[in-house]
């Protein structure tokens, strides 16, 4: 029997659930994208089978079986492609979700399961479908934050205007001031005060790194929200699975994450905790003034240089 997806399941599942009652054009767009990507996956699979058969003796039984498998996969890929053309031509689409969480498209009384030929690649396939669909349709409008995790008091509404994006290679230009207490850097409402004895060159590098990472994080969170992802601040934290300088941020209890190159945050999680009030306000479209005494993070004297991630310091950009 078909069943609905629970509201706190994955973002992909929540989108599928919402699509069941969405306008038919939305379901058609989703189906067209999913079928196109699935078709490509099966053609790739057929290509792998062809490569494997060439490596085998052409008269062997194994080679014959491999060739037959390739032909069958290519035939199925062709069927998927014809269904995709049918959807693009206006065929109605129904989405069926079964108890095993398997998604089936029904097109002109034909059913096709949206399953990647390789099980381990299914999550990546679903993510690709979701990303492409959310580029042509407003996923926030589709799902709405109120329907994602209604019991979460930390749910963040999406403002009318989201923060501007900060690219992976972009660095910011802080404002600098000299006071009797020491050098001060500021950017977008964040102000960091240092001691007079702190090295100005190291201070400048640290401030640029901090503000650059904060801007990337803010832009990344805003993009996730625009795609209908809830940022639940009671769950928000640095998570495991970091790869080098890439940090994994847990966004909510539904399993949504954000991956960013933010080595300074990864090295000093206390910075992320201190930035949360600023992030929450900026994601609501509000200005916010945040004071960060450098000494609270060990940024003083000779330790400042040691705090700057060498591979991603401003000199590396």
């Amino acid at each position: 029997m078909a069943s609905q997806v629970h509201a706190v399941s994955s973002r992909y599942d929540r989108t599928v659930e919402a699509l069941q009652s969405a306008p038919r054009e939305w379901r058609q767009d989703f189906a067209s994208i999913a079928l196109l990507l699935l078709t490509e996956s099966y053609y790739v699979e057929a290509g792998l089978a062809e490569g494997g058969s060439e490596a085998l003796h052409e008269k062997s039984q194994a080679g014959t079986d491999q060739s037959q498998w390739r032909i069958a996969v290519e035939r199925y890929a062709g069927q998927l492609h014809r269904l995709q053309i049918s959807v693009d031509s206006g065929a109605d689409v129904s989405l069926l979700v079964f108890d095993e969480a398997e998604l089936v498209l029904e097109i002109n009384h034909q059913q096709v399961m949206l399953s990647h030929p390789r099980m381990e690649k299914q999550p990546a396939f679903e993510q690709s479908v979701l990303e492409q669909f959310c580029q042509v349709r407003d996923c926030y409008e589709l799902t709405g934050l109120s329907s994602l995790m209604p019991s979460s008091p930390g749910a963040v509404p999406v403002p009318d205007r989201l923060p501007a994006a900060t690219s992976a290679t972009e660095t910011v230009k802080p404002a600098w001031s000299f006071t009797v207490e020491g050098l001060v850097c500021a950017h977008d409402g964040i102000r960091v005060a240092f001691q007079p004895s702190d090295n100005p060159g190291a201070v400048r590098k640290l401030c640029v790194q901090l503000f650059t990472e904060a801007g990337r994080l803010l832009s990344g969170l805003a993009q996730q929200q625009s795609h209908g992802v809830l940022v639940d601040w009671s769950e928000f934290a640095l998570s495991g699975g970091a790869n080098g300088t890439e940090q994994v941020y847990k966004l909510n209890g539904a399993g949504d994450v954000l991956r960013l190159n933010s080595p300074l945050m990864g090295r000093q999680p206390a910075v992320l905790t201190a930035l949360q009030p600023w992030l929450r306000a900026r994601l609501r479209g509000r200005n916010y003034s945040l004071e960060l005494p450098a000494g609270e993070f060990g940024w003083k004297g000779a330790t400042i240089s040691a705090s700057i991630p060498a591979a991603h310091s401003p000199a590396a950009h």
Side-chain angles (χ1 to χ4, degrees):
M1 294 294 292
S3 64
Q4 288 190 327
V5 181
H6 194 273
V8 295
S9 55
S10 72
R11 193 176 79 174
Y12 178 83
D13 292 337
R14 295 195 300 265
T15 302
V16 169
E17 179 186 13
L19 279 169
Q20 292 174 348
S21 57
R24 67 191 299 267
E25 293 82 3
W26 290 52
R27 289 193 298 275
Q28 288 170 329
D29 286 342
F30 180 88
S32 178
I33 290 168
L35 288 170
L36 180 59
L37 292 175
L38 196 61
T39 300
E40 292 174 351
S41 299
Y42 274 93
Y43 274 126
V44 169
E45 190 70 15
L48 293 174
E50 182 177 15
S53 64
E54 290 175 354
L56 298 169
H57 194 281
E58 61 182 5
K59 291 186 178 180
S60 68
Q61 182 61 42
T64 301
D65 292 344
Q66 196 82 350
S67 178
Q68 291 175 346
W69 166 251
R70 175 182 59 80
I71 293 171
V73 172
E74 286 182 342
R75 183 183 297 117
Y76 184 64
Q79 293 173 357
L80 292 174
H81 184 53
R82 286 190 290 274
L83 280 175
Q84 190 249 334
I85 293 174
S86 177
V87 170
D88 287 348
S89 299
D92 199 15
V93 176
S94 297
L95 279 68
L96 308 176
V97 182
F98 291 86
D99 291 334
E100 297 81 5
E102 294 177 340
L103 175 59
V104 173
L105 297 180
E106 187 172 79
I107 305 159
N108 291 338
H109 305 294
Q110 289 184 266
Q111 292 188 354
V112 56
M113 188 178 298
L114 290 186
S115 297
H116 195 279
R118 293 183 179 266
M119 185 180 301
E120 69 274 13
K121 294 187 177 182
Q122 181 68 19
F125 165 71
E126 293 179 358
Q127 183 66 23
S128 296
V129 172
L130 190 64
E131 288 179 354
Q132 292 195 26
F133 175 71
C134 291
Q135 290 176 3
V136 298
R137 294 291 183 180
D138 187 341
C139 287
Y140 171 66
E141 178 186 343
L142 177 65
T143 57
L145 288 178
S146 61
S147 68
L148 299 184
M149 297 179 72
S151 61
S152 300
V156 180
V158 178
D160 292 335
R161 290 188 177 183
L162 297 170
T166 302
S167 71
T169 58
E170 180 182 356
T171 56
V172 298
K173 296 182 179 179
W176 301 94
S177 60
F178 295 87
T179 69
V180 293
E181 289 82 13
L183 186 61
V184 175
C185 62
H187 180 73
D188 198 15
I190 304 174
R191 186 174 181 272
V192 189
F194 296 85
Q195 297 297 315
S197 58
D198 293 334
N199 182 288
V203 165
R204 290 176 182 273
K205 290 182 180 180
L206 179 62
C207 286
V208 171
Q209 183 71 29
L210 170 64
F211 295 144
T212 299
E213 290 189 16
R216 291 175 189 163
L217 178 56
L218 178 62
S219 298
L221 292 174
Q223 183 180 40
Q224 292 296 308
Q225 285 193 178
S226 71
H227 290 169
V229 176
L230 171 76
V231 179
D232 182 358
W233 296 105
S234 65
E235 298 279 351
F236 179 69
L238 277 167
S239 181
N243 179 17
T245 56
E246 184 182 72
Q247 309 303 317
V248 181
Y249 295 86
K250 179 183 178 183
L251 303 184
N252 52 49
D256 293 314
V257 298
L258 173 66
R259 296 178 182 270
L260 286 176
N261 285 331
S262 50
L264 180 61
M265 301 281 189
R267 185 177 297 182
Q268 297 183 279
V271 177
L272 179 63
T273 301
L275 284 174
Q276 281 200 28
W278 177 81
L279 289 168
R280 296 175 71 167
R282 295 292 289 112
L283 286 170
R284 291 188 173 99
R286 302 173 185 170
N287 294 325
Y288 190 89
S289 297
L290 179 66
E291 297 282 338
L292 297 179
E296 291 186 5
F297 306 102
W299 298 338
K300 56 183 179 180
T303 64
I304 294 178
S305 295
S307 299
I308 307 171
H312 284 261
S313 66
H317 292 279

